[in-house]
């Protein structure tokens, strides 16, 4: 082995200093340096650097924007942007932030977990799909084995924080029995392939996108359409086990599922009797006992926010609710609401491409290097 390719010839103190410098770079820059040589790839793939980068990235989470548009050839496109989260304290009631563009993929459906995006790629037929997994910040991606996905079929991405494994759960036959309804794929294993050896309780279908919290994927469905009774399907990513819990507290309102300080939360927005915008949230404190708590917050008046013009994107680790506009007409705003201080501020996001049809906002995006992919989008 050439001396330049031998990490044993470099003092350990110097290697640590080099990795310290790399940990301050963007993930896209690190991904490019990863391709320079075997030595650099070895250093940047080591567990020490991955943990160091994750620690630094966790201290500076970002907003991730999934911008949906139709391309010149009438194909659905997903464009990924990000921006830093405004600092605390709230010294200004409104800010203007430029979003950084990262990459584009031809697709229309996506699901998020722990820094990665899973979306449905095109297969050879209308029912056949080629799921893909990507790093939205670097543009690197990997194509997964093809699978049959009918129109109602859904796919959710889950992450097991203990074994550090990503898994993709797909409704293979959405109307079939519990024994063969789902298939699952584990990333990072020697033989990549779909398995059907999982069984779930019977339910009627998704009413919400899946959200992964502490190794459990949650999604909402309607138990009995005539009565409007909701239930939550829970899927343990590590043990590949399902559980269904009642959610009658939602009271016929379809909530947005969010991560509330490591617990599942469901939140809705309405006008109260005084005409003010009110956020009503339910938090699942104990899955086994199915214990829920209810919280109600009234938003301060703000000229930029109107009822039905926003949706709840989630909650930051700092305890702020993030709301975003539903319509994509310029200017586009996100709103930060601090319930403890009863403070609301608007942030105008600039830099999105033209002819945008929708914008999905993901809160507290953290860059991770659990996987390096071989390809990069154009």
């Amino acid at each position: 082995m050439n001396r330049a390719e031998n990490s044993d010839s470099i003092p350990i103190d110097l290697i640590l200093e080099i990795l310290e410098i790399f940990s301050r770079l963007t993930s896209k820059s690190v991904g490019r340096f990863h391709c320079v040589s075997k030595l650099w790839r070895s250093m940047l793939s080591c567990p020490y650097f991955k943990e160091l980068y994750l620690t630094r990235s966790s201290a500076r989470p970002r907003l991730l924007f999934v911008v949906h548009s139709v391309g010149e050839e009438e194909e659905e496109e997903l464009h990924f942007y990000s921006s830093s989260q405004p600092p605390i304290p709230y010294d200004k009631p409104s800010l203007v932030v430029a979003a950084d563009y990262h990459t584009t993929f031809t697709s229309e459906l996506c699901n998020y977990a722990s820094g990665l995006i899973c979306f449905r790629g095109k297969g050879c037929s209308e029912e056949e799909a080629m799921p893909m997994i990507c790093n939205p910040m670097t543009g690197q991606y990997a194509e997964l084995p093809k699978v049959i996905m009918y129109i109602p079929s859904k796919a959710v991405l889950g992450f097991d924080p203990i074994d550090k494994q990503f898994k993709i759960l797909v409704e293979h036959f959405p109307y079939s029995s519990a024994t063969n309804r789902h298939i699952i794929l584990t990333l990072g294993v020697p033989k990549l392939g779909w398995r059907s050896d999982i069984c779930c309780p019977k339910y009627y279908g998704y009413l919400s996108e899946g959200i992964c919290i502490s190794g459990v994927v949650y999604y909402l469905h309607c138990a009995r359409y005539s009565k409007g009774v909701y239930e939550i399907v829970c899927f343990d990513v590590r043990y590949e086990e399902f559980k269904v819990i009642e959610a009658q507290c939602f009271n016929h309102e379809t909530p947005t599922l969010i991560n509330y300080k490591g617990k599942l939360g469901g939140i809705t927005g309405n006008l109260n009797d005084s005409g003010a915008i009110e956020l009503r949230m339910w938090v699942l404190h104990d899955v086994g006992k199915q214990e829920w708590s209810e919280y109600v917050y009234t938003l301060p008046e703000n000229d930029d926010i109107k009822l039905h013009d926003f949706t709840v994107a989630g909650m930051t680790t700092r305890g702020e609710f993030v709301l975003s506009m539903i319509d994509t007409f310029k200017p586009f705003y996100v709103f930060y609401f601090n319930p403890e201080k009863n403070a609301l501020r608007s942030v105008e996001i600039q830099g999105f491409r033209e002819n945008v049809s929708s914008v999905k906002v993901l809160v507290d995006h953290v860059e991770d290097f659990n996987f390096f992919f071989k390809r990069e989008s154009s």
Side-chain angles (χ1 to χ4, degrees):
M1 179 180 292
N2 188 294
R3 180 180 175 85
E5 293 290 332
N6 188 357
S7 60
D8 294 337
S9 64
I10 304 177
I12 185 63
D13 291 345
L14 180 57
I15 291 179
L16 294 180
E17 290 183 10
I18 293 174
L19 295 181
E20 176 70 23
I21 294 173
F22 276 121
S23 70
R24 301 175 184 273
L25 300 178
T26 65
S27 58
K28 194 161 190 174
S29 297
V30 175
R32 289 173 176 171
F33 283 122
H34 181 267
C35 301
V36 170
S37 68
K38 292 181 180 180
L39 172 59
W40 286 35
R41 181 180 306 165
S42 175
M43 288 193 301
L44 298 178
S45 299
C46 72
Y48 172 81
F49 176 73
K50 290 181 180 179
E51 190 64 30
L52 177 63
Y53 197 94
L54 179 60
T55 300
R56 289 195 178 278
S57 184
S58 299
R60 54 189 184 195
R62 300 175 66 83
L63 289 183
L64 181 66
F65 302 96
V66 185
V67 178
H68 177 236
S69 69
V70 178
E72 296 181 357
E73 299 181 0
E74 299 300 316
E75 290 186 313
E76 307 286 339
E77 294 181 340
L78 298 179
H79 313 274
F80 294 96
Y81 297 77
S82 74
S83 72
S84 58
Q85 296 187 161
I88 291 179
Y90 287 8
D91 54 344
K92 296 181 180 179
S94 62
L95 297 170
V96 178
V97 175
D100 299 321
Y101 168 75
H102 298 292
T103 189
T104 295
F105 288 95
T106 302
S107 181
E108 58 178 322
L109 300 174
C110 70
N111 197 256
Y112 175 88
S114 192
L116 297 185
I117 295 283
C118 174
F119 56 87
R120 176 176 179 165
K122 290 186 176 181
C124 297
S125 66
E126 188 173 326
E127 295 177 346
E128 188 179 56
M130 182 182 290
M132 303 177 71
I133 193 84
C134 80
N135 184 323
M137 305 293 280
T138 65
Q140 295 171 316
Y141 69 95
E143 296 174 345
L144 305 178
K146 295 179 182 179
V147 64
I148 298 296
M149 287 183 66
Y150 297 98
I151 292 177
S153 298
K154 301 288 185 178
V156 293
L157 178 64
F159 178 68
D160 169 22
I162 297 177
D163 292 336
K164 306 294 184 182
Q165 281 189 327
F166 286 90
K167 296 182 181 181
I168 303 172
L169 183 71
V170 169
E171 272 191 316
H172 194 213
F173 298 110
Y175 300 117
S176 69
S177 64
T179 55
N180 62 353
R181 178 170 184 165
H182 291 85
I183 56 176
I184 193 168
L185 182 143
T186 302
L187 297 180
V189 296
K191 294 183 179 180
L192 197 64
W194 296 98
R195 296 184 288 108
S196 59
D197 55 344
I198 57 175
C199 181
C200 75
K202 187 175 182 179
Y203 61 91
Y204 289 100
Y206 295 79
L207 287 180
S208 68
E209 296 181 3
I211 180 172
C212 187
I213 304 173
S214 302
V216 178
V217 173
Y218 301 90
Y219 48 90
L220 183 72
H221 82 103
C222 195
R224 295 181 291 275
Y225 286 109
S226 59
K227 296 183 180 180
V229 177
Y230 295 116
E231 291 180 334
I232 301 289
V233 179
C234 314
F235 176 70
D236 189 300
V237 179
R238 186 183 190 196
Y239 296 106
E240 300 182 1
E241 295 176 347
F242 285 90
K243 179 179 293 187
V244 177
I245 61 177
E246 293 184 357
Q248 297 184 15
C249 55
F250 295 150
N251 193 25
H252 304 274
E253 297 181 87
T254 304
T256 300
L257 300 184
I258 66 170
N259 184 341
Y260 177 78
K261 301 179 180 179
K263 298 179 180 179
L264 177 67
I267 189 167
T268 61
N270 293 287
L271 285 178
N272 61 18
D273 295 337
S274 301
I277 297 177
E278 186 177 83
L279 298 181
R280 188 175 298 270
M281 180 177 64
W282 300 265
V283 177
L284 180 61
H285 289 286
D286 191 302
V287 175
K289 297 180 181 179
Q290 302 190 24
E291 294 180 348
W292 296 84
S293 295
E294 183 179 359
Y295 304 86
V296 179
Y297 306 101
T298 301
L299 270 59
E301 292 186 6
N302 186 297
D303 293 337
D304 294 324
I305 188 170
K306 306 292 183 183
L307 185 66
H308 303 310
D309 287 343
F310 72 91
T311 182
V312 180
M315 189 177 198
T316 69
T317 54
R318 324 187 284 202
E320 301 164 295
F321 291 103
V322 179
L323 300 87
S324 66
M325 291 179 57
I326 295 177
D327 295 328
T328 56
F329 299 107
K330 293 183 178 180
F332 180 84
Y333 288 95
V334 295
F335 306 92
Y336 286 81
F337 172 60
N338 187 321
E340 293 184 359
K341 298 182 179 181
N342 193 35
L344 176 71
R345 60 176 169 173
S346 59
V347 180
E348 181 183 347
I349 306 297
Q350 298 181 345
F352 293 157
R353 62 181 294 124
E354 300 294 332
N355 301 320
V356 173
S357 60
S358 67
V359 179
K360 179 179 180 180
V361 181
L362 299 169
V363 178
D364 277 342
H365 173 69
V366 173
E367 300 179 68
D368 197 353
F369 283 106
N370 278 294
F371 290 93
F372 277 105
F373 302 120
K374 296 180 181 180
R375 303 181 180 91
E376 185 171 337
S377 68
S378 57

